[in-house]
Each structure stands twice: as C-alpha cells, then as structure tokens.
Amino acid sequence: MRFSGTSVKGTITPPPSKSHTHRAFFLSSLSKKGCVVRNSLNSQDTRATLGAVGSIGASVERYRDTIKITNNGLHAPDKIVDAENSGTTMRLFAGIASMFCSPVTITGDASLRSRPMGALLDALSEMGVKCTSDNGKAPVTIRGPNKGGDVSILGNISSQFVSSLMIAAPMLENDTAIRIKGGLSSKPYINITGSMMERFGADVTVNDDMIKVCGSTGYEGCDITVPSDMSGAAFPLVAGALGGSVTAENMDMNDPQGDKRITEILKDAGACVSVNNDMITVSAGELRALNVNMNDIPDLFPIVAVLLSTARGKSVLYGAPQLRFKESDRIEATVNMLSALGADITGTNDGCVIEGVKRLNGGNIEHHEDHRILMAAAVASLVCENPVTMKGSNCYDVSYPLFPEHMERLGITVEV
C-alpha cells in the first residue's frame, strides 16, 4: 500500500467502538432475554467474538445494521474456540469459559499466541478454576465451575483481565470481590465494562483497587446502540491537525471512552479544535511539543507519536509499559515506523521521546500486521516529503474497515 498527500478536508463518521461491540455481544449472549445491538462494528475482531458467542449456545441474527443475540441455553463449546487475532475476544471469553464444568480451549493466530494470559489464569486458579496454558499464553484450557468469591489480580498488564472477571461474575453462585494489585492500567476500559454491565442489569461497584459484583443474578439484558469509536476517530482528527480540517460526526463526548482525551491532546499541541454537539472539528495549527501520560489511553500512542513528530520541541510519551504486549510490541513498532520515515524518536520502557523535526522523509515501513501502526503511518504521510509505503495488508479491518476509503475521501491518495 502507498499513502501520500499534503492536505485533507472533509467530514467522516468514524467506525463504531470496538470495545463496546465486544462487550455488547458477550453481555447479550449471557442475558435472560434476546438483545438487539445496533451500530455494531463489523470487523475481524468482532466477528471472532460472535464466533465465541455462538459456541456457548447463543443464536445470532443479522438485520441490516442490527444484530439480535439470544441466549438459548448456555453450554460449554463442543470444539476449540478460535479467537483469531483478537486479544479482547480471548481474554473476555476466558472468564465466561470458567463458568462451565467441561474444559474449554481457546486459541488464536501466531500473534495472539504470543500475548500474555498468565495473570488472568492465575486469578481464575485462585477462584478454584483449573487452567492450563503454553507458559502463560494461548492455547489455554479452562475448566470450572467458577463459583465466585474473593480474588486478587495484577492490573498493570491489561485491563482486559479485570473486565473478564467482571463480566463473568453476575453468572456465578457467589458474590465476587476483585482486588487490584500493582495499579490499574487503562482504567477507562474498566469504566466502560462496569457501565455496560449495569445497563444489562448487573450490580457492580468499581473503585480504584476493588471491584465488587453481586453473584447469582445474571443479566436481564437490554437493547443497545454502540457509540462511535474515539480511538478510531483519532486518526482522521490528527490528519486534520497535520494538514487541513477534518470533522468527525456522531461522536458522544459523554461516553466513558478514555480516548476522547484526543481532543485535549490536540488542543494542547496547538491544533484548532471545536466540539459542537456530536461533531468534532480539528484544523491545522502550529504544533508544539507535549508530555503525555499514556497509561489510560495506550491505543492512542502511535497516532499521538505521529502528531508530535513534527511539533516544535521535545515531547515525552510515558506511563504505558503495557504497550509492549499488544498486537505488536507497540512501543518498538511505533519507534521503528517513525524512525524509518525520518523522525527523531527514541523508545523508553514505557513510551518514547520525540524531538520534533520540520518534515519527515517518507519511505517504506513495517507495520507488523498491527492495525494502529498501519493507520498511524498512513496519516504520517501528510508531513512526509515522499509517499509512505508498506506491505499490502487489510489489518486495518481489525478496528476500522473503511479506513482507506475515509482517507481517500479526505484527500489522501491511497494506492493498493
């Protein structure tokens, strides 16, 4: 693929939230009544979750832009569950799998099989669940029944581990108290999980180091509309800051998504930002360096690094060591991608240091099949002297299926 351009202008509707879609599908499958999910994200990752939902006895019916999921009697899967490349699917489903007396095996592609699961499996084992794995990684086999109770878990590796325990908890015999050890990374995702569980009828209390969920109540269920994805919107919005003006519509600034902080980061960096009801408009300005704690917003790391690569001064992104356990080592992948384009960037244990340059050179990059690296590199083409090229891939389909189409609509040349 090849991306090139000097300016952008236009209005787009970002994709539905991947995080909300995963949770809506799983919660619907556990609910007592059929649930309609509107405006869900149809991507590689969310299709993997629908496969997991079907494996435990839920029916999935599609009606244009809506999906109805009905619990037809839950049971353990009768075959291995393939989460493909979706870490969210694998991790959230692991908690659900612990409900069953029969063993449940979950695996995925080579990338997914390299991602850590140990902290979650340790927590499930503490709850009396038998867990086996490949040295703390997939394939994992989980055998319950999980009856709930008190459990402690490391919270600084992935918030998905905590969400997994939370989602299963109302289905268990006893109340569950989850004590967070080592601090909690990506806390806004825990808030999304708790908020959606409440909408589906669960009784959950979320504090900084303790989460309590009432057991044996199950989920009543509800119909839900998935909001637009703030992390997806960040790519076209940063494009606006680098070269022109972009409006993202159908955005809900009251949603608990932590990545809505992209608007503050853009303002602080010197871009012109306007929020009007459900529309966010970002226009180019004279960009300046920032220090940004990425702990709660790790998905923004690659695109914020692109934003600051040509900002005046020295920028520091820090606080997100969990980035090393994403689809790629996302710190290393971001540093290598921007270095290949001519940026002055150095990786650290939990982020990077960027000395802004006037322009990037462009060139060939490796995205390591990581959707956020590919999309960030595409946006970086706006401040490159030459096109940005990369091995052809549709890995953007993980979170933003219409990404190339939207970039072309805004004015970036896309060649496949």
Side-chain angles (χ1 to χ4, degrees), residues 46-66:
T46 58
R47 289 191 292 271
T49 287
L50 284 179
V53 160
S55 76
I56 59 172
S59 64
V60 177
E61 302 170 83
R62 295 180 181 271
Y63 305 93
R64 293 187 179 179
D65 63 342
T66 66

Side-chain angles (χ1 to χ4, degrees), residues 24-307:
F25 288 168
F26 279 130
L27 293 174
S28 295
S29 73
L30 301 175
S31 294
K32 297 172 184 176
K33 68 176 184 179
C35 302
V36 174
V37 183
R38 299 183 180 88
N39 193 45
S40 60
L41 177 66
N42 181 9
S43 75
Q44 178 183 342
D45 277 16
T46 58
R47 289 191 292 271
T49 287
L50 284 179
V53 160
S55 76
I56 59 172
S59 64
V60 177
E61 302 170 83
R62 295 180 181 271
Y63 305 93
R64 293 187 179 179
D65 63 342
T66 66
I67 292 178
K68 183 175 182 181
I69 299 175
T70 305
N71 174 350
N72 292 317
L74 299 179
H75 58 75
D78 57 10
K79 60 182 179 180
I80 294 173
V81 176
D82 185 358
E84 300 181 25
N85 186 242
S86 178
T88 308
T89 302
M90 174 175 67
R91 289 165 172 171
L92 297 189
F93 188 63
I96 294 171
S98 75
M99 296 163 39
F100 301 114
C101 297
S102 301
V104 179
T105 299
I106 311 168
T107 191
D109 65 13
S111 173
L112 193 68
R113 294 195 302 273
S114 72
R115 300 181 68 176
M117 284 283 284
L120 176 55
L121 300 179
D122 289 346
L124 290 172
S125 296
E126 187 179 329
M127 302 176 83
V129 177
K130 183 178 180 180
C131 302
T132 59
S133 67
D134 181 7
N135 196 29
K137 298 173 183 176
V140 299
T141 299
I142 296 166
R143 182 171 186 170
N146 185 349
K147 295 186 177 182
D150 295 347
V151 62
S152 58
I153 187 168
L154 285 171
N156 58 359
I157 300 174
S158 173
S159 64
Q160 293 169 355
F161 296 164
V162 181
S163 288
S164 180
L165 299 178
M166 292 171 65
I167 288 171
M171 308 295 294
L172 308 180
E173 180 179 332
N174 302 312
D175 294 350
T176 298
I178 307 167
R179 184 174 299 280
I180 311 299
K181 301 186 299 182
L184 182 60
S185 65
S186 309
K187 185 181 178 184
Y189 290 98
I190 300 300
N191 293 335
I192 291 172
T193 301
S195 174
M196 292 186 68
M197 287 173 63
E198 288 181 334
R199 287 188 63 180
F200 277 78
D203 186 347
V204 55
T205 303
V206 178
N207 294 311
D208 287 341
D209 61 354
M210 176 68 77
I211 298 167
K212 295 183 178 181
V213 185
C214 289
S216 70
T217 59
Y219 293 99
E220 291 300 322
C222 67
D223 296 343
I224 189 167
T225 300
V226 174
S228 290
D229 189 46
M230 291 290 180
S231 57
F235 295 95
L237 292 178
V238 168
L242 294 179
S245 181
V246 171
T247 297
E249 60 184 4
N250 196 31
M251 307 304 298
D252 182 3
M253 294 301 289
N254 294 317
D255 190 85
Q257 293 180 65
D259 289 338
K260 64 186 176 183
R261 192 174 153 209
I262 188 63
T263 58
E264 298 174 18
I265 292 171
L266 287 162
K267 282 181 183 178
D268 292 344
C272 302
V273 180
S274 171
V275 179
N276 183 15
N277 296 322
D278 68 343
M279 303 179 75
I280 303 171
T281 300
V282 176
S283 303
E286 186 176 347
L287 299 180
R288 53 183 175 265
L290 294 177
N291 291 349
V292 185
N293 185 341
M294 306 299 296
N295 184 59
D296 284 345
I297 49 172
D299 284 346
L300 294 181
F301 179 78
I303 193 60
V304 170
V306 167
L307 171 71

Side-chain angles (χ1 to χ4, degrees), residues 242 300-310 317 330-346 352-355 357 359-367 373 376-381 383-384 388:
L242 294 179
L300 294 181
F301 179 78
I303 193 60
V304 170
V306 167
L307 171 71
L308 298 174
S309 64
T310 55
L317 306 184
R330 206 169 268 167
I331 293 174
E332 181 178 352
T334 299
V335 169
N336 290 344
M337 177 267 288
L338 278 170
S339 294
L341 297 180
D344 185 348
I345 180 171
T346 304
C352 66
V353 178
I354 304 168
E355 292 281 358
V357 297
R359 296 277 293 176
L360 302 180
N361 299 326
N364 187 61
I365 65 100
E366 295 286 342
H367 51 66
I373 301 298
V379 173
S381 68
V383 289
C384 289
V388 173

